[in-house]
Amino acid sequence: MKPTTIYDVAREAGVSIASVSNAINGKGKIGKKKREEILKVMERLNYQPSVIASALTGKKTYTLGLLIPDVANPFFAEIARAVEDIAHSAGYSVITCSTDNQDERVLAYIRLLEQKSVDGILIGTGGGADILAQLAEKPLPTVTIAREVQGLPVSGVATDDFRGATLAAAHLLALGHRRMAVLAEDLKVSSSQERVRGFRFSLFEAGIRLEDRDILPCASSIEDGKRATLELLRREDRPTAVFCSNELLAVGALQAAREAGISVPAELSVVGYDNTLLSTATNPLLTTIAQPIEQMVKLAFELLIGSGQESAGLVPQRIVMQPELVERESTAMPGTAELD
């Protein structure tokens, strides 16, 4: 079957080719009602505008790129879904790329997105700051989400990870815990660094020293959270509470406690980070630090689309959202495991 052309759409809608083009690109003086009629004709005829042709003429492709570490991570899965929903409602498509925080994959995906002539990229991944700095020098609009890169001249939206960790520490301290440990996701990533720093600072202010041996770097997986927690539980001076820098690690901690016959929260309190759907599917339900995912995505999307306008000379914006403690069932006063 011969593919539908812009001429077919114009004939069917009873308008000029220029009107169809304006409807696609949101330009010209075409009215909202007429534009909707044209778009309905396009949908009925299954007409797909040429992305390459649009790019060559300097027009928008209504396509965005999203770089995240791992779509299997519930936090980034929820970010990806929120981006898809908001973008779709605004007429955009999204190409989601899982980078595993690997520099070579970040670079490969950026090249791919450039070839696809996307209108902008949301960066939610780790990886080399030098690669992202090179990207920032290009005319392609870029906004970071849920991460920060020091010195990168682009707008971004993130949660105050230092503050989130202090909330977790304050909660555990108020319950009476004094021996604590941290399961830290990739310490090359700014969010993980800030969560460790915030937790350590709060304990220091309370007169408690968090030793290096009590900060266990982990891969971002349930399995590695379980491995690290079992290591902690084998110690003679095992902790009575563990702060996990994401909820995959927290689930691993709960599994390790169950396997070791340690009661949560009577003998071990567990705090997670992110407040994804996963936190309400555990047994016991997970106490965690909530990030406002939908608000973050909405603001990041608005910054990205806004940066695609004629915005030369605008100073990059840095928006920091405030986290909240969500107390559930996985934390309590220390039980028989607490020693003076």
Side-chain angles (χ1 to χ4, degrees):
M1 179 182 290
K2 183 179 178 181
T4 302
T5 68
I6 193 172
Y7 299 96
D8 299 322
V9 175
R11 183 171 57 253
E12 182 73 15
V15 298
S16 67
I17 295 171
S19 293
V20 176
S21 178
N22 286 337
I24 294 171
N25 295 290
K27 296 183 178 180
K29 296 182 179 180
I30 187 169
K32 181 180 178 181
K33 183 177 180 181
K34 178 57 68 175
R35 181 175 185 271
E36 290 176 351
E37 291 176 358
I38 293 171
L39 294 178
K40 286 180 180 178
V41 171
M42 289 171 55
E43 185 176 356
R44 187 169 71 250
L45 297 181
N46 195 28
Y47 172 64
Q48 299 291 331
S50 170
V51 171
I52 295 176
S54 297
L56 290 174
T57 57
K59 297 176 181 177
K60 292 168 69 68
T61 63
Y62 288 93
T63 306
L64 303 175
L66 171 64
L67 297 184
I68 55 177
D70 185 2
V71 75
N73 182 315
F75 174 69
F76 290 106
E78 291 188 20
I79 280 189
R81 181 54 191 264
V83 171
E84 286 272 2
D85 289 344
I86 292 176
H88 179 73
S89 67
Y92 286 81
S93 297
V94 180
I95 300 173
T96 301
C97 309
S98 292
T99 69
D100 201 28
N101 286 331
Q102 298 298 313
D103 288 359
E104 62 275 10
R105 294 185 69 174
V106 173
L107 185 58
Y109 277 129
I110 288 174
R111 288 172 177 168
L112 171 66
L113 295 172
E114 287 179 320
Q115 291 171 4
K116 296 291 185 181
S117 300
V118 297
D119 295 328
I121 301 179
L122 284 170
I123 301 285
T125 184
D130 54 340
I131 295 175
L132 301 182
Q134 292 174 28
L135 177 61
E137 293 175 357
K138 299 180 180 181
L140 182 63
T142 304
V143 170
T144 61
I145 182 169
R147 70 154 305 188
E148 294 192 44
V149 182
Q150 295 297 325
L152 191 64
V154 299
S155 295
V157 182
T159 302
D160 189 337
D161 290 300
F162 183 94
R163 170 66 176 162
T166 65
L167 293 176
H171 174 63
L172 293 172
L173 287 166
L175 289 172
H177 292 278
R178 294 297 179 268
R179 287 203 314 279
M180 292 172 262
V182 178
L183 303 191
E185 185 188 359
D186 190 351
L187 285 171
K188 295 184 295 183
V189 178
S190 60
S191 58
S192 187
Q193 293 171 1
E194 286 300 290
R195 291 170 197 179
V196 170
R197 194 169 72 88
F199 195 82
R200 199 169 202 169
F201 177 79
S202 291
L203 265 59
F204 173 78
E205 282 201 319
I208 300 171
R209 179 180 176 83
L210 187 69
E211 303 291 345
D212 289 343
R213 69 188 289 264
D214 296 323
I215 301 172
L216 281 68
C218 301
S220 184
S221 69
I222 292 174
E223 294 77 13
D224 217 37
K226 179 179 179 180
R227 172 202 60 78
T229 305
L230 286 173
E231 177 183 324
L232 289 170
L233 296 179
R234 284 192 290 266
R235 296 179 180 178
E236 289 187 9
D237 60 341
R238 61 182 172 85
T240 62
V242 59
F243 169 54
C244 305
S245 65
N246 70 33
E247 285 170 0
L248 291 174
L249 298 179
V251 171
L254 294 176
Q255 290 184 355
R258 187 176 302 114
E259 182 175 305
I262 301 296
S263 174
V264 175
E267 297 177 276
L268 180 71
S269 285
V270 178
V271 179
Y273 205 108
D274 289 334
N275 195 38
T276 66
L277 289 174
L278 193 59
S279 64
T280 61
T282 59
N283 183 21
L285 300 181
L286 187 65
T287 294
T288 191
I289 303 300
Q291 297 200 66
I293 294 175
E294 290 191 8
Q295 295 95 317
M296 288 171 62
V297 169
K298 184 176 184 294
L299 289 169
F301 181 80
E302 290 174 352
L303 287 175
L304 187 66
I305 300 307
S307 65
Q309 309 299 323
E310 296 299 327
S311 55
L314 291 183
V315 177
Q317 298 183 59
R318 178 177 176 267
I319 300 175
V320 180
M321 312 292 287
Q322 290 304 307
E324 294 181 359
L325 173 74
V326 179
E327 186 176 355
R328 295 196 179 97
E329 300 171 350
S330 66
T331 51
M333 295 177 61
T336 57
E338 180 74 9
L339 297 176
D340 295 328

